Amino acid sequence: MCPGTADAATVRGGCKDLEAGGLVVSAGRATRVEPDGRRITEKLWSLTPAGLEAAAVVLDRVAREMGGTAKAAAASGAKHAVKVTDTLAAFLQTPPEPTVPVVRRGAVPAPAAAPVERPPGLGPIAAWSTEVPLPVTWSFAAPGRGSVRADMVFTAPHTALPLLFVEVDNGMESPPILAEKIARYRRFLARSVPQTGRATVGGDVALWRTVWTTPAAKYRDAHPPLAIVFTKKMAPAAMETRIREAERLSVQEWRGHWHTAGTHSDGTKDGYRDYTGVVPVIVTVLDLLEEHGPHGPIWRRYGRRIHETLADALANPDDYHAYSVREEKRRAADEAERQREEREHQEERQRRDAAAGRCRECGRKVYPDDAQGTKAAGGLCDICRHRADHDAEQARELAERQAAAEADARLDGPLGWIRALRSGGR
């Protein structure tokens, strides 16, 4: 919390001054192991209720937004509370402030240390609260059974990430318990209460919206996201197993429902996932968060198998909005294809009109690709050709009838009696 301090004794002295004023209290110690194997024991300090109120004044925040004091954490060694502190520091990525070391008499001043470069953080610290109760039943002041307590809550109403709940997992709970905790987050976020106030018209509102303000369009369907930071040191394979097991057991809390929208003109099937009422869950490990910061490609969204940045992990490329964008692109492509075909058809008609001749009988256009049409003068259109064929057929039939009549007349002449005798004899 004091990144520019050169010596831990300075922090201890400040905490003792705050302790004299009743703003902090020490109730235990914690032990940690350095990368080189050394065990370091540190004294733990916790804010008193008066200290929490004083901190709220300094940060210009409402005291109830500050979270809890974790007053029992130090007495038990504060393993979880220390990990929460480490996780908050990794989220903030506060750069060390420059200091001017005191030069002892006769000593050579040490050269100024180069500034430490850190990745962008998610802050400021005033946007964070710790130990925040989320009541599934009863109230925020007195949560009922089955409620959950968020390790940290990030609130920034006018940013791309207006609200984020953070759960710190230090490996003390089994994956089924962690999955159940995700389910309790969902139950809290789904809880609604009657609207009150003169400006309301009745109906219910989500309980969490009575505490945290977010844009109306944000989280209209899906709940605010939950980030889980795994802090326990373990082999990569063991960590992967733990993460995937919690993912499998909580699938109903974050997956949503897939809707198939049918087969499109290009033969592809498409649809969208409805995230209404589910909790987007993103996970990472503390080492990656400390090294790359919260905006680095360290997050894995439950339901995916790749590491993404914070913004990409929280995006929903398969939701209805993304589907509607794809559908609009398809409609635009279909309309462009229809217009292209219409232009080609129009150009073809213009070419045929330019190459057409005139019927010698009626003057109608005769196109080059007609069955009998020709660009040469004297060509017949289909109508005149059919009429000419019909007239020729009728003339042929008339000629045949006339020939038959003439033949019959010849038989009925002087030799007709011979034909009659022959017919009668038979």
Side-chain angles (χ1 to χ4, degrees), residues 99-352:
T99 59
V100 180
V102 177
V103 181
R104 299 183 182 276
R105 184 180 301 174
V108 178
V116 178
E117 295 291 337
R118 289 194 177 181
L122 188 64
I125 192 173
W128 289 91
S129 302
T130 58
E131 297 292 321
V132 181
L134 308 178
V136 173
T137 58
W138 293 41
S139 65
F140 285 94
R145 185 175 182 179
S147 299
V148 64
R149 183 179 292 272
D151 292 323
M152 296 187 293
V153 179
F154 172 77
T155 310
H158 304 296
T159 66
L161 182 58
L163 184 61
L164 176 69
F165 297 98
V166 179
E167 185 69 23
V168 177
D169 179 84
N170 61 355
M172 301 302 293
E173 299 172 336
S174 63
I177 294 178
L178 180 59
E180 171 58 24
K181 187 173 290 187
I182 297 174
R184 281 187 280 157
Y185 270 96
R186 184 185 181 188
R187 286 197 292 270
F188 162 72
L189 293 170
R191 184 182 176 186
S192 60
V193 294
Q195 294 192 68
T196 58
R198 296 181 180 179
T200 59
V201 190
D204 294 341
V205 62
L207 177 62
W208 66 267
R209 288 191 180 274
T210 65
V211 177
W212 295 286
T213 302
T214 62
K218 196 73 174 179
Y219 313 135
R220 180 166 45 197
D221 298 323
H223 294 318
L226 169 65
I228 303 177
V229 180
F230 293 86
T231 63
K232 186 176 181 179
K233 301 287 186 181
M234 60 177 64
M239 178 62 73
E240 181 67 15
T241 299
R242 180 174 181 81
I243 292 175
R244 287 201 178 190
E245 183 65 9
E247 176 184 17
R248 183 185 67 83
L249 294 173
S250 62
V251 63
Q252 298 301 324
E253 316 304 332
W254 51 259
R255 182 171 58 182
H257 304 283
W258 178 259
H259 296 271
T260 301
T263 304
H264 300 281
S265 58
D266 58 358
T268 61
K269 292 184 178 181
D270 199 1
Y272 61 91
R273 190 169 295 280
D274 184 4
Y275 290 97
T276 301
V278 298
V279 182
V281 179
I282 58 176
V283 300
T284 191
V285 296
L286 180 59
D287 289 345
L288 291 177
L289 183 61
E290 290 175 334
E291 180 180 359
H292 300 284
H295 298 287
I298 64 171
W299 298 100
R300 202 177 82 190
R301 173 83 172 262
Y302 270 180
R304 305 176 191 173
R305 287 293 176 265
I306 59 174
H307 285 87
E308 302 173 292
T309 63
L310 183 61
D312 290 340
L314 293 178
N316 295 318
D318 58 350
D319 65 0
Y320 180 77
H321 173 71
Y323 166 77
S324 64
V325 171
R326 295 193 301 272
E327 184 68 8
E328 183 60 30
K329 289 181 179 179
R330 281 190 289 263
R331 283 195 293 265
D334 291 343
E335 178 62 18
E337 178 65 17
R338 186 194 66 78
Q339 292 180 0
R340 185 190 63 80
E341 293 177 353
E342 179 65 23
R343 285 194 305 270
E344 291 181 354
H345 180 67
Q346 186 67 22
E347 292 171 357
E348 179 63 21
R349 289 189 60 181
Q350 292 174 356
R351 286 194 297 268
R352 294 183 67 233

